[in-house]
């Protein structure tokens, strides 16, 4: 398998603007593990609970984490979206230079990231949105450039995928020791990123290894620069979906590919879904109650130097029509939008069942 071309990525980042980012407070306690449940691998589960909340009066979005520190290794994120809006939580890992610069400035890593990435990115974006005026205070002056020189060294470890309002999803990823931002950059109806409005946090991954086992998959998908390789039909019931990220590249919206699960309901327009997946369009990737369909979670952007890597989505599939889709411009044309069906009944080992 071919790994990511970091040299090419750095060249692109130096001539364009870097990827998405965000702003909030660290909450929670230290250490969250639980015994595995029925159908899960035996052992203890290294777990982070993430609750998405929204203050309607202040229009502030935020995450509440039930822990701010976990052991390294396989980590399961239980994502609970208690809002009317679409959210996800991807995991950029801060490079050592960012941590050193934060210490030099006398700032905690999360506050430093907000000051040097989240706010400058909103400033940049506001200058591109017709009729929107950037806030001069968001153009911070810690560095001579708009974005910090270390941002090209940020790597991405997945996280919970897009999850519709009042829904929940479960994602497991393999985390190395370090400091991870947890953020959502879906936009509101005035083109402010949720991260800029407070939906950002930080989790520390210690050098101690957890004894959490790698999940055992019931369905395997391949995600690469060639597109999504997935079966056209899947049996109903409880699944652990292995998303094998084979290769990566940067797309026109400055991010790599990820994978999200959507339900194709009556009236769902797949062309509208295809258009909505592009955050770099001021009219798209907006959560205002008019999203194109229901999102059921997924595995956010995985882009490390040691690809291939695998993330897991845990989901119960009921009979119906679904699709896998990546958050890139025009995913259908790139082979990154593929539909599949879940029949009402299916034979497994000669037995018939309905979930």
């Amino acid at each position: 398998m071919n790994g990511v071309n970091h040299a090419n990525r750095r060249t692109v980042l130096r001539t364009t603007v870097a990827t998405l980012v965000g702003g909030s407070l660290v909450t929670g306690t230290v250490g969250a593990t639980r015994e595995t449940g029925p159908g899960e691998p035996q052992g203890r589960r290294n777990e982070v609970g993430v609750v998405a909340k929204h203050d309607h009066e202040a229009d502030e979005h935020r995450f509440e984490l039930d822990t701010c520190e976990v052991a390294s290794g396989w980590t399961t994120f239980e994502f609970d979206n208690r809002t009317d809006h679409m959210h996800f939580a991807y995991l950029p890992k801060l490079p050592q230079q960012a941590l050193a610069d934060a210490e030099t400035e006398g700032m905690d890593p999360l506050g430093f990231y907000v000051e040097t990435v989240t706010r400058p990115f909103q400033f940049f974006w506001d200058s591109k949105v017709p009729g929107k005026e950037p806030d001069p205070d968001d153009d911070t002056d810690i560095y001579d450039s708009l974005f910090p020189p270390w941002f090209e060294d940020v790597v991405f470890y997945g996280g919970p995928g897009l999850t519709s309002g009042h829904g929940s999803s479960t994602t497991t990823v393999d985390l190395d020791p370090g400091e991870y931002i947890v953020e959502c950059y879906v936009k509101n109806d005035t083109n402010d990123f949720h991260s800029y409005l407070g939906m950002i946090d930080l989790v520390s991954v210690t050098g101690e290894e957890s004894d959490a086992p790698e999940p055992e998959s019931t369905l395997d998908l391949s995600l690469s620069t060639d597109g999504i390789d997935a079966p056209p039909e899947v049996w109903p019931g409880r699944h652990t979906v292995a998303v094998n990220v084979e290769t990566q590249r940067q797309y026109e919206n400055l991010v790599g590919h990820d994978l999200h699960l959507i339900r194709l309901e009556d009236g769902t327009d797949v062309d509208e879904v295809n258009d909505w997946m592009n955050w770099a369009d001021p009219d798209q990737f907006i959560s205002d109650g008019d999203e194109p369909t229901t999102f059921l979670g997924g595995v956010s952007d995985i882009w490390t130097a040691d690809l291939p890597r695998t993330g897991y989505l845990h989901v119960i599939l009921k009979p119906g029509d679904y699709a896998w889709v990546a958050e890139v411009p025009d995913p259908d044309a790139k082979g990154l939008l593929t539909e599949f069906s879940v029949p009402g009944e299916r034979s497994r080992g000669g037995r018939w069942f309905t979930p």
Side-chain angles (χ1 to χ4, degrees):
M1 305 294 178
N2 293 323
V4 61
N5 186 333
H6 281 280
N8 180 63
R9 177 169 179 256
R10 290 191 176 103
T11 300
V12 174
L13 284 169
R14 286 184 180 125
T15 56
T16 62
V17 185
T19 183
L20 296 268
V21 282
S24 170
L25 299 174
V26 178
T27 62
T29 56
V30 175
T33 61
R34 72 167 177 83
E35 296 297 334
T36 50
E40 297 175 341
Q42 293 303 305
R44 294 183 64 78
R45 194 153 105 164
N46 204 31
E47 186 174 290
V48 179
V50 182
V51 177
K53 293 189 174 182
H54 178 227
D55 183 328
H56 292 272
E57 291 186 3
D59 195 23
E60 293 178 350
H61 295 265
R62 68 181 186 275
F63 285 144
E64 291 184 359
L65 276 58
D66 67 358
T67 182
C68 59
E69 184 176 292
V70 292
S72 61
W74 291 104
T75 306
T76 296
F77 287 81
E78 296 283 359
F79 190 71
D80 181 6
N81 185 356
R82 300 182 187 176
T83 79
D84 297 330
H85 303 272
M86 186 87 70
H87 298 299
F88 71 120
Y90 92 130
L91 303 171
K93 180 174 179 281
L94 294 177
Q96 286 301 313
Q97 189 60 54
L99 301 177
D101 288 359
E103 184 175 1
T104 298
E105 294 292 329
M107 300 176 68
D108 65 273
L110 177 59
F112 185 72
Y113 187 86
V114 170
E115 189 73 9
T116 60
V117 180
T118 305
R119 293 179 61 195
F121 197 89
Q122 186 68 55
F123 178 88
F124 161 78
W125 181 241
D126 288 347
S127 70
K128 303 298 181 184
V129 176
K132 197 160 193 241
E133 291 294 329
D135 184 344
D137 289 340
D138 290 332
D139 184 10
T140 54
D141 58 2
I142 292 178
Y143 297 103
D144 293 335
S145 57
L146 183 61
F147 294 101
W150 47 259
F151 196 77
E152 64 187 37
D153 297 319
V154 172
V155 290
F156 305 95
Y157 280 75
L162 288 162
T163 304
S164 289
H166 304 286
S168 60
S169 62
T170 304
T171 301
T172 301
V173 290
D174 188 13
L175 298 182
D176 296 327
E179 304 296 320
Y180 291 78
I181 297 296
V182 184
E183 72 168 294
C184 171
Y185 56 81
V186 174
K187 298 177 292 184
N188 70 359
D189 56 7
T190 60
N191 263 275
D192 289 334
F193 296 109
H194 289 171
S195 49
Y196 180 73
L197 299 172
M199 189 158 272
I200 191 168
D201 217 315
L202 184 140
V203 63
S204 299
V205 178
T206 70
E208 178 185 358
E209 293 186 11
S210 77
D211 59 356
E214 180 174 359
E216 297 177 1
S217 66
T218 60
L219 175 63
D220 290 88
L221 311 181
S222 176
L223 180 61
S224 72
T225 52
D226 293 326
I228 300 168
D229 185 5
E233 188 173 277
V234 177
W235 50 266
R238 186 181 301 275
H239 280 281
T240 297
V241 184
V243 180
N244 303 303
V245 183
E246 307 287 352
T247 56
Q248 268 288 15
R249 77 174 180 90
Q250 188 179 71
Y251 293 88
E252 305 95 307
N253 62 343
L254 310 177
V255 298
H257 45 246
D258 49 13
L259 197 71
H260 307 277
L261 174 63
I262 62 174
R263 185 165 57 237
L264 302 178
E265 299 156 323
D266 291 342
T268 297
D269 187 329
V270 176
D271 290 336
E272 289 184 5
V273 174
N274 190 68
D275 293 341
W276 191 85
M277 301 307 294
N278 180 17
W279 74 260
D281 183 334
D283 296 324
Q284 305 298 338
F285 214 60
I286 290 173
S287 180
D288 58 0
D290 195 29
E291 295 79 19
T293 192
T294 300
F295 284 74
L296 303 172
V299 177
S300 292
D301 190 356
I302 295 177
W303 193 344
T304 62
D306 59 349
L307 294 182
R309 270 189 178 239
T310 302
Y312 294 87
L313 171 65
H314 309 268
V315 66
I316 297 175
L317 292 176
K318 298 179 180 180
D321 296 316
Y322 298 82
W324 302 106
V325 62
E327 186 237 317
V328 300
D330 195 4
D332 188 35
K334 299 175 174 68
L336 291 168
L337 193 165
T338 183
E339 299 180 31
F340 70 97
S341 63
V342 177
E345 292 183 334
R346 186 177 178 102
S347 175
R348 295 186 65 204
R351 300 176 60 189
W352 289 85
F353 71 98
T354 300

